[in-house]
Amino acid sequence: MEVLFTTDALIALLTLTFLEIILGIDNIVFLSIVSGKLRAEDQPKARRIGLLLAMVFRIILLFGITWVMSLKESFFDFDLGFFSGGISGQSLIIFGGGLFLLYKSVSEIHHKLEGEDEATSGKASNSLSSAIIQIALLNIVFSFDSILTAIGLVSSAEPPKGFGPAGAIEIMILAIVISIVVMLAFAGPVSKFVNEHPTIQILGLSFLILIGVMLLAEGSHLAHFRFGNDVEVHSIPKGYLYFAIFFSLFVEFLNLKMKKSSRKPVVLHNSKIIDKKLEDSDITN
């Protein structure tokens, strides 16, 4: 435990916690969309269960780092001349998660734009159990992405070059627990804000489409997909993606503030004169 109290360990802990919270934004958006279709009393429960599942999955995967890293090995290689690659466990999970996220986001946008609101039409098929299943499936993908990022950031080499295997796992687990606690505190207000503003919902679903495309690119990169002999599929840097997301949110917040200020009632200083004119007009009529 003494490794946690070194300056390098504290910096790594703060950095990893911040990254876990940033990477958890897509998780909160997905939770907000899915839980928003449930009854009001079930929504907090779905959010809590979803975030706790995320924490459990991440910690389980941390203790199975050897197994997670073994999934990098390809079990099926192919070469069609114009297209080649090697399928691995990691690439399948990430690629499948991207497809699921794309399908879910596009179908939700379709329902909202076509006016097919299941929650109000009486056709709601989202029970608490089905919502939790959807959340759990996507959490597996998000957990893999999160753990791969954590492993790349926190060195498990022996001191002084790293924190050692045990120290690295302690730092990663602590960062995960702190980030989940922070997200639990803010999940309710964020979900309320998202569900009260239709434009934010569409924007959030658009973010999920972007993240789905990023997961597809990352899964293709992990599978070493190559077109011909020169063109290899590369992953999309997360920094570019999250910058675009935060910039879009900033612009949308400005739009919401402008709309709110334009709806302020006009205060009439000559109310007595106006009331008198109204009375005169009523008498004439």
Side-chain angles (χ1 to χ4, degrees):
M1 290 295 291
E2 62 272 9
V3 73
L4 293 176
F5 299 100
T6 62
T7 304
D8 291 340
L10 290 175
I11 293 173
L13 176 62
L14 290 174
T15 305
L16 185 55
T17 302
F18 177 74
L19 283 177
E20 288 289 335
I21 293 172
I22 296 298
L23 292 173
I25 290 174
D26 43 17
N27 207 343
I28 291 181
V29 171
F30 185 78
L31 276 173
S32 302
I33 301 295
V34 173
S35 64
K37 301 176 102 179
L38 301 173
R39 294 178 302 176
E41 59 269 22
D42 289 335
Q43 292 179 15
K45 189 186 298 184
R47 289 193 295 267
R48 284 195 301 270
I49 292 174
L51 289 172
L52 289 175
L53 280 175
M55 183 176 70
V56 170
F57 285 149
R58 284 160 169 77
I59 292 175
I60 289 174
L61 288 175
L62 274 177
F63 283 109
I65 283 180
T66 305
W67 175 74
V68 172
M69 299 309 293
S70 70
L71 292 177
K72 278 187 175 181
E73 301 296 327
S74 64
F75 58 83
F76 178 72
D77 297 317
F78 63 92
D79 189 353
L80 305 177
F82 65 93
F83 182 56
S84 62
I87 308 298
S88 65
Q90 283 186 9
S91 64
L92 270 181
I93 293 171
I94 300 295
F95 196 89
L99 286 177
F100 174 74
L101 203 55
L102 280 178
Y103 164 75
K104 190 66 182 174
S105 305
V106 172
S107 61
E108 288 293 334
I109 290 176
H110 171 77
H111 291 324
K112 291 184 183 299
L113 293 181
E114 293 295 325
E116 300 174 10
D117 193 351
E118 295 179 353
T120 58
S121 63
K123 298 180 181 179
S125 57
N126 267 28
S127 63
L128 181 60
S129 57
S130 65
I132 289 173
I133 290 172
Q134 293 180 57
I135 292 167
L137 287 174
L138 205 64
N139 267 330
I140 294 173
V141 180
F142 287 152
S143 297
F144 262 90
D145 192 35
S146 172
I147 292 306
L148 291 176
T149 302
I151 292 172
L153 182 66
V154 182
S155 174
S156 60
E158 294 297 334
K161 294 183 177 180
F163 304 105
I169 289 179
E170 288 173 2
I171 290 172
M172 287 187 277
I173 289 177
L174 194 56
I176 289 168
V177 172
I178 294 172
S179 63
I180 293 297
V181 169
V182 171
M183 287 189 282
L184 279 170
F186 288 97
V190 170
S191 297
K192 185 174 182 292
F193 180 77
V194 168
N195 291 320
E196 284 180 352
H197 297 84
T199 55
I200 295 293
Q201 288 186 25
I202 299 298
L203 197 60
L205 290 168
S206 302
F207 294 161
L208 293 181
I209 291 177
L210 282 177
I211 294 165
V213 172
M214 181 197 73
L215 291 176
L216 289 179
E218 190 169 345
S220 301
H221 177 68
L222 290 172
H224 304 289
F225 286 164
R226 183 185 292 272
F227 295 93
N229 294 322
D230 301 324
V231 182
E232 184 177 353
V233 179
H234 294 282
S235 59
I236 301 172
K238 292 183 176 68
Y240 296 158
L241 183 68
Y242 285 103
F243 172 78
I245 289 174
F246 283 119
F247 181 76
S248 302
L249 277 175
F250 175 71
V251 173
E252 184 58 28
F253 286 146
L254 289 179
N255 287 333
L256 290 174
K257 190 172 183 180
M258 288 178 63
K259 288 180 182 178
K260 188 176 180 181
S261 61
S262 65
R263 291 173 185 171
K264 288 182 179 179
V266 179
V267 179
L268 299 174
H269 297 288
N270 299 324
S271 57
K272 292 183 179 180
I273 298 173
I274 293 173
D275 290 342
K276 183 73 170 77
K277 289 182 178 179
L278 288 174
E279 289 176 5
D280 294 340
S281 63
D282 289 339
I283 293 170
T284 306
N285 293 333

